[in-house]
Amino acid sequence: MDYSQSIQKVNSLLKFGIKPGLERIGELLNRLGNPQDKLKFVHVAGTNGKGTACTLISNVLTAAGYKTGLYTSPYIMDFRERFRINGEMIPKDELSKLTERVSKIVDEMKQEDLIITEFEFITALAFLWYFEQKCDIVVLEVGLGGRFDATNIINTSIVSVIMSISLDHTAILGDTVEKIAYEKCGIIKPYGQAVVYANQPDGVIPVVENSVKDNKASLTIADDSAVKLIKTDIKGSEFIYSAKGRFGIDSEMKLFIPFIGEHQLRNASTALEALNILYKQGYKITAEAIEKGFRTASFFARLELIGENPIVLLDGAHNPGGAKALANAIKAYLSGKKKILIMGMLADKDVETAVSYIAPNFDKAYTLSPDNPRAMSSEELAKVVSKYCQDVTPLEDYRKAYELAISDAESDGAVVICGSLYLAGKMRHIIFEN
């Protein structure tokens, strides 16, 4: 099986969709020798911020000298982004070999009416790769929810991290933040360690506390007061971190992250709490490793700066929490500039709320339809956006939308592309082809 065939195999599983539950992944992994039982994990769930936290934690562990696996989803440019060790994507030939091995078992299971979904397949493949590559630790991002997510097949984690929670995937996870928090807290393990992002909607922290109590676990609420902004611009944020005995350090540290937005400081604060728990467990995490890991972090399509004249920001925010964070960043960093919006969303998202946060900040907007069966048409999205922005044009051509937006913004303006990771991925390809 070559690389293209391995991708075709994975794509063939998409038709089985999302099927919450751990029985199928458990049986698949059992037939693979349960590689996950031989690995150590940092497990991260949440509606927003989990990708940033995973990136920061894995970068610091790599800088500290540990062979660190990173498992994230979805991908933006390359399918292999999901699987990394020390920042490097899985080689194509290794992915092909592992896909062939896992496929044989999946096909056997299919004959027994045990149907493996795409996410279950790639999660099992990831565990197998990290085990065979002898990773010291794996930073594991939840795909959807937590309690019945395929990643939650692991028996334990060194620390479970719950990031910002807001309404998303309500048809699957529940229609209140309390119900969603309950599902996310499913990753908290008996007698384990848990860290939670501090600035949560009302009702979330009590759910986390109850889950911790039920599991006889220990809880750390991230200390946002330990992080104080020094300065921020469109390229990132510099801040002071008051260690207060964390990492064996009593002094303050000056850190930089190449991410923008107030929420990213909170994400950083939560990542630091998780890293401190690892330090207490014997991981040799120094101030130098933290500084380097934070400074060199990168993350596609999360308020990503990809152009400066005009400014071009790419963001995959697709739920109310992410949209609010994006709107706050627009106000903070793009004030006084002519701003052009390119937006596309899936129809099953809370489109009205997301648009109400974002669209009022723009002088002009172009709407597109993301490349996904669940996409809202550009015309339907334009009707929603027009409630908040007077100049809205629906388009089908991604390249044309980008060229028009760049022209409208001129060299001293700004273009923001947002609403869906499917849109962000395709637009990023187009931009970097130019």
Side-chain angles (χ1 to χ4, degrees), residues 242-253 279 285-287 290:
S242 300
K244 295 180 182 177
R246 298 175 183 90
F247 308 101
I249 302 167
D250 289 321
S251 60
E252 294 182 335
M253 299 167 57
Y279 172 81
I285 299 170
T286 63
I290 295 169

Side-chain angles (χ1 to χ4, degrees), residues 102-168:
V102 177
S103 293
K104 289 178 181 178
I105 296 174
V106 168
D107 291 343
E108 290 171 3
M109 292 177 65
K110 188 176 181 181
Q111 298 303 313
E112 303 168 29
D113 291 326
L114 295 171
I115 305 300
I116 296 297
T117 67
E118 179 215 17
F119 190 70
E120 290 166 342
F121 185 101
I122 64 173
T123 301
L125 186 152
F127 288 148
L128 190 59
W129 185 52
Y130 297 135
F131 166 65
E132 293 187 346
Q133 292 297 314
K134 297 180 172 60
C135 284
D136 297 312
I137 190 167
V138 175
V139 182
L140 185 66
E141 180 185 352
V142 167
L144 176 65
R147 188 162 60 110
F148 293 124
D149 185 75
T151 62
N152 206 32
I153 195 65
I154 64 174
N155 289 323
T156 190
S157 60
I158 301 171
V159 58
S160 302
V161 184
I162 309 296
M163 298 302 294
S164 175
I165 291 175
S166 62
L167 295 176
D168 197 14

